[in-house]
Each structure stands twice: as C-alpha cells, then as structure tokens.
Amino acid sequence: MIFGILKPYPSPLISGRGIDLDFAMLAGCLALLGLGLVMITSASSEVAAVQSGNPLYHMFRHLVYVFLGLVACGATMMVPIATWQRMGFLMLLGAFGLLVLVLVPGIGREVNGSMRWIGFSFFNVQPSEIAKVFVVIYLAGYLVRRQTEVRETWMGFFKPFIVLLPMAALLLMEPDFGATVVMMGAAAAMLFLGGVGLFRFSLMVVLAVVAVFVLVQAQPYRMARLITFTDPWSDQFGSGYQLTQALIAFGRGEWLGVGLGNSVQKQFYLPEAHTDFVFSVLAEELGVVGSLLTIALFVFVTVRALYIGLWAEKAKQFFAAYVAFGLAFLWIGQFLINIGVNVGLLPTKGLTLPFLSYGGSSLVICCACVGLLLRIEWESRTHLGSEEHEFSESDFAEETNHGR
C-alpha cells in the first residue's frame, strides 16, 4: 500500500535501476549498528540479568529499536528533499511543541533528575533528539531563502538566534546541556558554511564561550562536574566515581582488550555501561586497537556525510547540502563529546554515542538521518533534486555512472 502511494516518486529504493544507494555510506552505518548491538549485548548482560532475570533483555529491546530505525531509514529515503524543505517551518513548530510537552508534569518522564523523555508504555521518546534534526532542516531552508542577507547583513546573521535561543532555553530547562551544545554548535557551523563573515562568526564564537561559562557558573552541579573531571581521583568514590571507573576500563583493555564479553567494569562498577559509557566497555573488551578502529569507522561516516553535502552543493542543490552538513556536524559533536567524556577529556554529559549506545530515540533518529543522507546523495547524483522536477520512471531509463 505504502509503496504503491510512493511509486510516482522514485527513490534510491524504487527506480529504473532497482536499489541505487551510496553503498559505502550504508555499509559504514550498518557496521556501526552491528557493533553497537554486540557491545550493548555484552555491556548490559549483567545488569539485565539482575533487573529482569534475562541477560538478553536489553539486546531484544535494542533489536526492536534497530528494526524501527531501519524502517525509519527506508521511509526517509522515499521522501523527496523538496518535501522536507517545504515542511521546514512546520517541523520547527513541532520541535518547539515537543520540547514544551516534555516539561509538562504528567507527560514528561523524569529520570535522574532530568525531564528529557515522553513515555509511551514500553517506548520513551526523547524530544531533544528530534528537535536537533528539525532545527537543521529549518536552518538549511533559512540559509537558502536568505542567502544574500545572511552573508551581507547583521540582521540576516542574528535572525536564526531568535529561534535557536528559545529552543536552547527549553533544552536547558530539562536540563540537557549536552544537547544544547551540540545543537548550537551544528547551527554555528551551518551559518559559517552559509557564508557568514569571519568577523561576525568570531563574535558568535566569543559570545558562545561566554554563554557556556555563565551557564556552568549558574548551576552548582555543572561547576562540580567541571572541577571533578580535571582530577576525578580526588573524589574517587563520590562525584568522580563514574569517570574513574571508565578510566579503569580503558586501563584494563590495554592494546588488544580482555576479550568480548569479559569486561569486569560492566559488572555494576561502571554506571550507565550500556548507554553513555558503552565506549569504555568497548575499550576494555577490544583494547586500543578496537577503539581506534571504531573511531576510524565514526570518522568515515561523518566525512562521507560531509562529502555528500559537498556533492549536493556542486549539483547546486543548496538546501540538501546544508542539511547534509548539519547532520554531519550533529554526529561529529556527539561523537567528540561522548568519547571525550569517556576518556576524561570533557566533563560528564548525558549524551549517547550515535549508533552504538542503547536508546530508542537516538538510534531511530540516527537511522532516519542516514536515510536522509542517502536520499540527498542519490538526488545530487541523478540531478533530480529540483523542486520543480516531475518525477517519473522514465527519468531512470538510462544507467548513470556513480563516479564516487
């Protein structure tokens, strides 16, 4: 039924050439998904056995999330990029609506002192994950509509912050400082690529650093985290406990690791071993070699996403290019912050590791982003990214060379 409705609009999954995907990007993301499933199964087995009586409890739930993510990826690939561009403002309103709803008592679900989830029986939705992507889509449309204004005037530069600052305030009310930093960082990178002058961009960076400093000073727990992360061993069994246990995991892993499934730190020593600190368990079990290969895989998919944006820009599909750049910067931000926290280079933040950490919202949204990137690559390669183009199967009668 669904495929029948979408048949007039060819996609990477339905075209005259059959399945026509960027297989390099797809393979990299599937490798991360597979690795994530293996590590979550290993990292959560002890906790799951005690909490539910089934050591594979979290693995089965994660498999459901993987299935939903693959469905979301496929569905996203079926939608023309022009449709996303037209829906940008509605998506922005939806993002604001979700961030307000999660703060309403009785709707938002509080976990560890933060109201970040909306609960639906067995599934929790994290609005911040959706909001970050919707902001990227809206901002990409703004950069296309107001390109000259953004590049030449102060007003064009400041207008996006009329939207971004209230959204950042809603995120901080949850509180979700990590998501705020990632969203604002991706937005700043998009504005820079959109042509904002170096002086205005430098001013924005200075203001952002001042804002971060003020926000850290405003909440005692943030300052405590900042002080603790510089010397976690000074309060090893208090505020520095999580980081010291993560560092012990890295030390135990050495070069080749203790072996898959043989982690000691996951046995109730390391809190959140299958979510925020899954990379520490990976380092313990697979060692430095496994950790570096995992980071290399992350680098590959993010660089590939940036190249997809570059190819779209060369095809003069600027909205698609900005979306690809924005999604890449979202991933880069989360990769750097999560791994930085795990190795003790950054203060502890509640940010998941894309594709690897346990968490339904994060995984499904990551997979949807992959579908969007694959659609962008396909449209830029087939030159069918124009909003005015009328799609039909005849457009794909001839084979074209990928050249990538």
Side-chain angles (χ1 to χ4, degrees), residues 61 109 118-124:
R61 285 178 64 90
R109 180 168 173 260
I118 299 176
F120 296 96
S121 62
F122 71 96
F123 187 77
N124 293 319

Side-chain angles (χ1 to χ4, degrees), residues 200-318:
R200 280 175 287 164
F201 182 78
S202 301
L203 177 63
M204 178 176 61
V205 171
V206 171
L207 291 175
V209 171
V210 172
V212 169
F213 178 77
V214 171
L215 289 171
V216 169
Q217 292 280 349
Q219 293 291 337
Y221 81 92
R222 291 181 188 140
M223 179 56 68
R225 282 183 177 181
L226 184 62
I227 295 172
T228 301
F229 116 88
T230 58
D231 185 14
W233 304 101
S234 62
D235 191 11
Q236 181 179 351
F237 299 104
S239 56
Y241 179 77
Q242 202 167 24
L243 179 53
T244 55
Q245 296 304 314
L247 294 176
I248 290 171
F250 277 91
R252 291 193 75 252
E254 298 184 352
W255 286 101
L256 298 177
V258 297
L260 191 62
N262 294 327
S263 168
V264 171
Q265 294 306 104
K266 69 181 181 182
Q267 298 178 15
F268 305 98
Y269 291 101
L270 180 61
E272 311 295 340
H274 60 296
T275 55
D276 299 346
F277 282 84
V278 69
F279 190 75
S280 297
V281 177
L282 184 149
E284 184 181 2
E285 296 188 349
L286 303 183
V288 172
V289 174
S291 301
L292 291 178
L293 288 175
T294 302
I295 292 173
L297 200 52
F298 284 145
V299 171
F300 172 77
V301 297
T302 53
V303 170
R304 189 73 178 181
L306 291 172
Y307 267 105
I308 287 174
L310 182 61
W311 295 329
E313 188 175 35
K314 288 182 177 179
K316 300 190 182 304
Q317 297 171 11
F318 297 109

Side-chain angles (χ1 to χ4, degrees), residues 311-331:
W311 295 329
E313 188 175 35
K314 288 182 177 179
K316 300 190 182 304
Q317 297 171 11
F318 297 109
F319 171 78
Y322 290 135
V323 170
F325 292 142
L327 295 180
F329 286 121
L330 286 180
W331 285 355

Side-chain angles (χ1 to χ4, degrees), residues 26-42:
L26 181 63
C29 294
L30 288 178
L32 285 173
L33 280 175
L35 179 61
L37 178 61
V38 171
M39 293 314 306
I40 285 166
T41 303
S42 174

